[in-house]
Amino acid sequence: MSCGVGPGGKSETIGQRLYGWGLSRRDFVVFCAKLMVAAPFGLALTNQARAAEVAREVAKARRLPVIWLHFQDCTGCTETLLRTSEPDLGQLILHLISLDYHETLMAAAGKAAEAALRSSMRENSGKYVLVVEGAIPRKDKGVYMKIGGTPAAEMLEEVAGRAAAVIGLGSCAAWGGIPSADPDPTGAVGVDAIVTGKPIVNIPGCPPNPYTLLGTVLQYARYGTLPDLDVEKRPKFAYDRDIHEHCPRRAHFDAGRFARQFGDAGHRQGWCLYHLGCKGPETHAGCSTRHFNEVVDAWPIGIGAPCIGCTEKTLAFRVPLFQVIPIHDARPPDVYAPIESPQGSWSVPAAALVGGVAGVLVGAGYVASRKFSSVPDDESVPGSGPADGAGPSDAGPETGPESRP
Ligand code: SF4
């Protein structure tokens, strides 16, 4: 059974397929606009002035054969793809690519499913993209997961061997994710611990943003190239910045307003979640600007839960959810830059005099704010209450809420 091949087969362009299916041009342009938002920089496909131009480029591409393997996963990465709407991405994706094998979506089972896999591998050898969802267990000769009697690692090696490129979708496929959390009973690893000699792209996240996958796959379909990757093999267009840079709670972080407990006054007012264990300052992902499922604020911090760092190999499923982490480079400056450039030139004595006055004012302001913030247990006042003095400048594992008096 082939999930995506219909009349016209794989040789037809995406444009022919979509308009033949009945997708309106407007919906197609809306989809391409979302692709542009997901990949504003770093992707040749979306490096256009207008969404209509991106649509033109996508329409010219041939539908790429894709084989999708599931290993130790919860199917959340597939779910996030199917739950996106306007246009219905679950439908759309079957027309954008030729999804030849996907255990969750295909109607076939057993021998018929295995035959579909073999047939696609044979017909598209060296041309298909392999998407892997889930970690691969290696302990005890891979006995913890077999598909059709074949251990997962063996199956991956075989299918990847004939692929043009391999995508590790989700944190489990990228580096082991939840199945690899201590004590890692099955010896779970990601794709690049097994596959060698093939281009590999990691799209971590629990789940990842579906537009990152589509941007990568469509770029490959149109130009035959993969996006620029960082050291973790993540597409730079989606993982170049950290959550903290664009977090809507960032102003509270800079002002020292932190929720200290779930449900406290700060939490209810939408203050920063750093002291509840938020890993946003060390987590590279676009969640703070690209929310999920077309729903505003549908992402962890948007609903009041700290970021767990699911796109970072060393954070999620390695560091406890609510543990406060040190911040390396996201501290607000002690003194902000002036908002107006000084005009004309200054003599040295004049500059010294102004500097002295400014120093006195800054010092007086600081002392005043310390007095102001020492009102006991007034959570509405930044810096007050039992954790007075805690903040980004004294961040560190030892500064967690549990260590405060
Ligand atoms: S610490 Fe977390 S909640 Fe606070 S501003 Fe940074 S990313 Fe947002």
Side-chain angles (χ1 to χ4, degrees), residues 243-244 247 249-250 253 272-274 278-281 301:
I243 300 271
H244 190 70
C247 180
R249 298 181 190 232
R250 176 62 187 261
F253 174 92
C272 173
L273 304 169
Y274 174 69
C278 182
K279 314 290 188 291
I301 291 174

PDB file of all heavy atoms in Angstrom, residues 243-244 247 249-250 253 272-274 278-281 301, ligand 1:
ATOM      1  N   ILE A 243      15.179  29.856  22.896  1.00  0.00           N
ATOM      2  CA  ILE A 243      13.799  30.202  23.265  1.00  0.00           C
ATOM      3  C   ILE A 243      13.751  31.544  24.001  1.00  0.00           C
ATOM      4  O   ILE A 243      12.866  32.363  23.787  1.00  0.00           O
ATOM      5  CB  ILE A 243      13.247  29.111  24.219  1.00  0.00           C
ATOM      6  CG1 ILE A 243      13.250  27.754  23.548  1.00  0.00           C
ATOM      7  CG2 ILE A 243      11.901  29.491  24.794  1.00  0.00           C
ATOM      8  CD1 ILE A 243      12.045  27.406  22.797  1.00  0.00           C
ATOM      9  N   HIS A 244      14.716  31.716  24.872  1.00  0.00           N
ATOM     10  CA  HIS A 244      14.766  32.882  25.746  1.00  0.00           C
ATOM     11  C   HIS A 244      14.830  34.200  24.961  1.00  0.00           C
ATOM     12  O   HIS A 244      14.305  35.209  25.411  1.00  0.00           O
ATOM     13  CB  HIS A 244      16.022  32.712  26.609  1.00  0.00           C
ATOM     14  CG  HIS A 244      16.169  33.659  27.732  1.00  0.00           C
ATOM     15  ND1 HIS A 244      15.366  33.634  28.842  1.00  0.00           N
ATOM     16  CD2 HIS A 244      17.081  34.636  27.942  1.00  0.00           C
ATOM     17  CE1 HIS A 244      15.777  34.554  29.692  1.00  0.00           C
ATOM     18  NE2 HIS A 244      16.815  35.181  29.163  1.00  0.00           N
ATOM     19  N   CYS A 247      11.207  34.954  24.008  1.00  0.00           N
ATOM     20  CA  CYS A 247      10.142  34.515  24.918  1.00  0.00           C
ATOM     21  C   CYS A 247       9.254  35.691  25.316  1.00  0.00           C
ATOM     22  O   CYS A 247       9.753  36.762  25.669  1.00  0.00           O
ATOM     23  CB  CYS A 247      10.756  33.896  26.176  1.00  0.00           C
ATOM     24  SG  CYS A 247       9.496  33.335  27.312  1.00  0.00           S
ATOM     25  N   ARG A 249       7.817  36.082  27.961  1.00  0.00           N
ATOM     26  CA  ARG A 249       8.021  36.409  29.390  1.00  0.00           C
ATOM     27  C   ARG A 249       9.381  37.061  29.634  1.00  0.00           C
ATOM     28  O   ARG A 249       9.776  37.267  30.776  1.00  0.00           O
ATOM     29  CB  ARG A 249       7.896  35.138  30.237  1.00  0.00           C
ATOM     30  CG  ARG A 249       6.512  34.524  30.127  1.00  0.00           C
ATOM     31  CD  ARG A 249       6.367  33.280  30.981  1.00  0.00           C
ATOM     32  NE  ARG A 249       5.111  32.621  30.650  1.00  0.00           N
ATOM     33  CZ  ARG A 249       4.196  32.263  31.539  1.00  0.00           C
ATOM     34  NH1 ARG A 249       4.392  32.473  32.822  1.00  0.00           N
ATOM     35  NH2 ARG A 249       3.082  31.680  31.155  1.00  0.00           N
ATOM     36  N   ARG A 250      10.127  37.333  28.578  1.00  0.00           N
ATOM     37  CA  ARG A 250      11.481  37.835  28.732  1.00  0.00           C
ATOM     38  C   ARG A 250      11.544  39.157  29.520  1.00  0.00           C
ATOM     39  O   ARG A 250      12.471  39.406  30.295  1.00  0.00           O
ATOM     40  CB  ARG A 250      12.126  38.005  27.351  1.00  0.00           C
ATOM     41  CG  ARG A 250      13.509  38.600  27.359  1.00  0.00           C
ATOM     42  CD  ARG A 250      14.502  37.705  28.112  1.00  0.00           C
ATOM     43  NE  ARG A 250      15.788  38.363  28.244  1.00  0.00           N
ATOM     44  CZ  ARG A 250      16.840  38.142  27.459  1.00  0.00           C
ATOM     45  NH1 ARG A 250      16.749  37.238  26.509  1.00  0.00           N
ATOM     46  NH2 ARG A 250      17.965  38.793  27.637  1.00  0.00           N
ATOM     47  N   PHE A 253      11.759  38.387  33.070  1.00  0.00           N
ATOM     48  CA  PHE A 253      13.090  37.904  33.429  1.00  0.00           C
ATOM     49  C   PHE A 253      14.026  39.093  33.643  1.00  0.00           C
ATOM     50  O   PHE A 253      14.719  39.198  34.652  1.00  0.00           O
ATOM     51  CB  PHE A 253      13.626  36.993  32.320  1.00  0.00           C
ATOM     52  CG  PHE A 253      15.046  36.535  32.501  1.00  0.00           C
ATOM     53  CD1 PHE A 253      15.318  35.337  33.164  1.00  0.00           C
ATOM     54  CD2 PHE A 253      16.113  37.287  32.026  1.00  0.00           C
ATOM     55  CE1 PHE A 253      16.627  34.906  33.333  1.00  0.00           C
ATOM     56  CE2 PHE A 253      17.417  36.861  32.194  1.00  0.00           C
ATOM     57  CZ  PHE A 253      17.680  35.667  32.849  1.00  0.00           C
ATOM     58  N   CYS A 272       8.193  35.253  34.676  1.00  0.00           N
ATOM     59  CA  CYS A 272       9.195  34.316  34.142  1.00  0.00           C
ATOM     60  C   CYS A 272       9.246  33.011  34.942  1.00  0.00           C
ATOM     61  O   CYS A 272       9.127  33.005  36.173  1.00  0.00           O
ATOM     62  CB  CYS A 272      10.564  34.999  34.170  1.00  0.00           C
ATOM     63  SG  CYS A 272      11.899  33.912  33.741  1.00  0.00           S
ATOM     64  N   LEU A 273       9.458  31.905  34.213  1.00  0.00           N
ATOM     65  CA  LEU A 273       9.419  30.567  34.831  1.00  0.00           C
ATOM     66  C   LEU A 273      10.815  30.003  35.124  1.00  0.00           C
ATOM     67  O   LEU A 273      10.958  28.819  35.407  1.00  0.00           O
ATOM     68  CB  LEU A 273       8.671  29.612  33.883  1.00  0.00           C
ATOM     69  CG  LEU A 273       7.255  30.063  33.505  1.00  0.00           C
ATOM     70  CD1 LEU A 273       6.709  29.203  32.361  1.00  0.00           C
ATOM     71  CD2 LEU A 273       6.331  30.006  34.709  1.00  0.00           C
ATOM     72  N   TYR A 274      11.807  30.864  35.060  1.00  0.00           N
ATOM     73  CA  TYR A 274      13.188  30.388  35.244  1.00  0.00           C
ATOM     74  C   TYR A 274      13.373  29.610  36.555  1.00  0.00           C
ATOM     75  O   TYR A 274      13.977  28.542  36.591  1.00  0.00           O
ATOM     76  CB  TYR A 274      14.155  31.584  35.190  1.00  0.00           C
ATOM     77  CG  TYR A 274      15.572  31.194  35.504  1.00  0.00           C
ATOM     78  CD1 TYR A 274      16.303  30.400  34.609  1.00  0.00           C
ATOM     79  CD2 TYR A 274      16.182  31.584  36.689  1.00  0.00           C
ATOM     80  CE1 TYR A 274      17.594  30.011  34.901  1.00  0.00           C
ATOM     81  CE2 TYR A 274      17.473  31.208  36.979  1.00  0.00           C
ATOM     82  CZ  TYR A 274      18.176  30.419  36.087  1.00  0.00           C
ATOM     83  OH  TYR A 274      19.452  30.027  36.377  1.00  0.00           O
ATOM     84  N   CYS A 278      12.776  26.479  34.079  1.00  0.00           N
ATOM     85  CA  CYS A 278      12.731  26.729  32.633  1.00  0.00           C
ATOM     86  C   CYS A 278      14.129  26.630  32.019  1.00  0.00           C
ATOM     87  O   CYS A 278      15.074  27.256  32.485  1.00  0.00           O
ATOM     88  CB  CYS A 278      12.132  28.108  32.358  1.00  0.00           C
ATOM     89  SG  CYS A 278      12.006  28.424  30.587  1.00  0.00           S
ATOM     90  N   LYS A 279      14.215  25.845  30.941  1.00  0.00           N
ATOM     91  CA  LYS A 279      15.509  25.642  30.266  1.00  0.00           C
ATOM     92  C   LYS A 279      15.623  26.519  29.017  1.00  0.00           C
ATOM     93  O   LYS A 279      16.536  26.353  28.209  1.00  0.00           O
ATOM     94  CB  LYS A 279      15.660  24.164  29.849  1.00  0.00           C
ATOM     95  CG  LYS A 279      15.298  23.115  30.912  1.00  0.00           C
ATOM     96  CD  LYS A 279      16.288  23.059  32.041  1.00  0.00           C
ATOM     97  CE  LYS A 279      16.053  21.899  32.995  1.00  0.00           C
ATOM     98  NZ  LYS A 279      14.865  21.933  33.831  1.00  0.00           N
ATOM     99  N   GLY A 280      14.659  27.464  28.855  1.00  0.00           N
ATOM    100  CA  GLY A 280      14.633  28.310  27.660  1.00  0.00           C
ATOM    101  C   GLY A 280      15.942  29.028  27.362  1.00  0.00           C
ATOM    102  O   GLY A 280      16.336  29.130  26.195  1.00  0.00           O
ATOM    103  N   PRO A 281      16.657  29.523  28.380  1.00  0.00           N
ATOM    104  CA  PRO A 281      17.893  30.254  28.066  1.00  0.00           C
ATOM    105  C   PRO A 281      18.981  29.397  27.437  1.00  0.00           C
ATOM    106  O   PRO A 281      19.921  29.924  26.858  1.00  0.00           O
ATOM    107  CB  PRO A 281      18.339  30.770  29.442  1.00  0.00           C
ATOM    108  CG  PRO A 281      17.090  30.846  30.251  1.00  0.00           C
ATOM    109  CD  PRO A 281      16.257  29.686  29.792  1.00  0.00           C
ATOM    110  N   ILE A 301       5.674  27.174  27.476  1.00  0.00           N
ATOM    111  CA  ILE A 301       5.733  28.416  28.252  1.00  0.00           C
ATOM    112  C   ILE A 301       4.443  29.219  28.076  1.00  0.00           C
ATOM    113  O   ILE A 301       3.973  29.890  29.001  1.00  0.00           O
ATOM    114  CB  ILE A 301       6.984  29.228  27.857  1.00  0.00           C
ATOM    115  CG1 ILE A 301       8.244  28.489  28.350  1.00  0.00           C
ATOM    116  CG2 ILE A 301       6.941  30.636  28.412  1.00  0.00           C
ATOM    117  CD1 ILE A 301       9.563  29.087  27.907  1.00  0.00           C
TER     118      ILE A 301
HETATM  119  S1  SF4 B   1      13.667  31.788  31.568  1.00  0.00           S
HETATM  120 FE1  SF4 B   1      12.077  30.706  30.362  1.00  0.00          FE
HETATM  121  S2  SF4 B   1      10.112  31.713  30.893  1.00  0.00           S
HETATM  122 FE2  SF4 B   1      11.796  33.060  31.551  1.00  0.00          FE
HETATM  123  S3  SF4 B   1      12.083  34.468  29.856  1.00  0.00           S
HETATM  124 FE3  SF4 B   1      13.555  32.807  29.579  1.00  0.00          FE
HETATM  125  S4  SF4 B   1      12.542  31.328  28.271  1.00  0.00           S
HETATM  126 FE4  SF4 B   1      10.962  32.682  29.037  1.00  0.00          FE
END
